[in-house]
Amino acid sequence: SQKIEQNSEALNIQEGKTATLTCNYTNYSPAYLQWYRQDPGRGPVFLLLIRENEKEKRKERLKVTFDTTLKQSLFHITASQPADSATYLCALDIGTGGFKTIFGAGTRLFVKA
Amino acid sequence: GAVVSQHPSWVICKSGTSVKIECRSLDFQATTMFWYRQFPKQSLMLMATSNEGSKATYEQGVEKDKFLINHASLTLSTLTVTSAHPEDSSFYICSASSGRSDTQYFGPGTRLTVL
């Protein structure tokens, strides 16, 4: 069956450290993968998009890797800050005959001051 | 840029009534809009995809007669929950895109509570 898995347990880290979140998927061949941030009671906010032919992408303190062999993406936040505390969602474009995005359940990140 | 609004941000209604939620792209033309539903601590579940001027494509298990979607212009899509029941209580989120390969930009969501 097709699945997107993100660690359901919350990730707690100390301010200044690097947070690493994992997204694994099975039985998909996404054209690209996206990461979003979602705060409680709010809609997701787009962060980064990485395509299937890209290994790594960076944006300021954010870095995303995409390994289509392992079917895994890693999302890193360096020099984390309390304001980075949120739920981070992984999303795949599966492009099955149309534009369709499938979301993981997200991982909650807490950054302690 | 790429701002999407939703109205209302929250709504409480009685069982059996209908509720309309609006989704607007404020600074770009959205050829495609999506409607999602999210239950607490769960992922966003795509309900339907709509292209301007055509009928919406509903995901399996989503009743098209219960969740009416209209995408009458390039900046506005509406979702009407007809004859709402308590199990329809959820967080409804829309997103908009200007093209197939473009990122989706999400609205802030609408919290629906059906009593």
Side-chain angles (χ1 to χ4, degrees):
Chain A
S1 62
Q2 297 174 314
K3 287 194 299 184
I4 303 175
E5 293 183 331
Q6 293 186 257
N7 195 337
S8 59
E9 294 183 11
L11 178 63
N12 293 280
I13 64 167
Q14 198 67 36
E15 181 178 13
K17 300 293 186 182
T18 296
T20 298
L21 286 70
T22 305
C23 175
N24 294 296
Y25 60 93
T26 57
N27 295 326
Y28 286 120
S29 295
Y32 53 82
L33 184 148
Q34 302 177 74
W35 284 88
Y36 288 82
R37 170 185 172 140
Q38 187 176 25
D39 291 286
R42 306 292 294 174
V45 174
F46 170 74
L47 296 176
L48 280 169
L49 180 153
I50 186 166
R51 302 191 184 278
E52 59 181 338
N53 60 348
E54 297 176 312
K55 296 294 185 185
E56 180 180 300
K57 203 154 204 181
R58 294 175 185 259
K59 178 183 176 182
E60 299 173 350
R61 294 185 295 111
L62 309 180
K63 184 178 84 170
V64 171
T65 64
F66 191 13
D67 189 325
T68 55
T69 301
L70 292 178
K71 295 187 183 295
Q72 180 182 78
S73 175
L74 299 178
F75 176 77
H76 307 272
I77 305 175
T78 59
S80 59
Q81 305 166 359
D84 295 326
S85 298
T87 296
Y88 291 87
L89 308 174
C90 163
L92 304 181
D93 168 58
I94 59 175
T96 52
F99 185 13
K100 183 170 179 176
T101 301
I102 306 296
F103 285 81
T107 298
R108 188 84 169 92
L109 172 67
F110 291 98
V111 181
K112 300 177 184 177
Chain B
V3 179
V4 176
S5 69
Q6 276 185 247
H7 179 82
S9 56
W10 60 270
V11 57
I12 301 173
C13 69
K14 293 182 179 180
S15 184
T17 61
S18 294
V19 174
K20 180 185 283 189
I21 302 170
E22 291 187 350
C23 177
R24 293 181 185 272
S25 57
L26 300 184
D27 51 4
F28 68 101
Q29 292 187 327
T31 53
T32 307
M33 285 186 167
F34 306 85
W35 286 96
Y36 294 85
R37 181 167 51 184
Q38 186 178 35
F39 293 104
K41 297 186 179 181
Q42 294 188 22
S43 63
L44 280 74
M45 298 301 296
L46 180 64
M47 299 175 67
T49 302
S50 72
N51 293 295
E52 184 264 338
S54 61
K55 290 184 178 180
T57 301
Y58 289 81
E59 293 300 301
Q60 191 173 9
V62 178
E63 299 175 56
K64 63 179 181 180
D65 294 330
K66 182 171 182 61
F67 298 100
L68 302 178
I69 291 172
N70 185 289
H71 191 167
S73 76
L74 286 171
T75 59
L76 174 64
S77 177
T78 60
L79 167 68
T80 301
V81 183
T82 62
S83 187
H85 291 285
E87 58 265 30
D88 298 324
S89 299
S90 188
F91 192 50
Y92 291 86
I93 310 173
C94 74
S95 71
S97 172
S98 60
R100 188 190 183 281
S101 60
D102 283 352
T103 300
Q104 294 180 48
Y105 296 96
F106 284 82
T110 297
R111 174 73 59 191
L112 170 63
T113 302
V114 184
L115 303 177

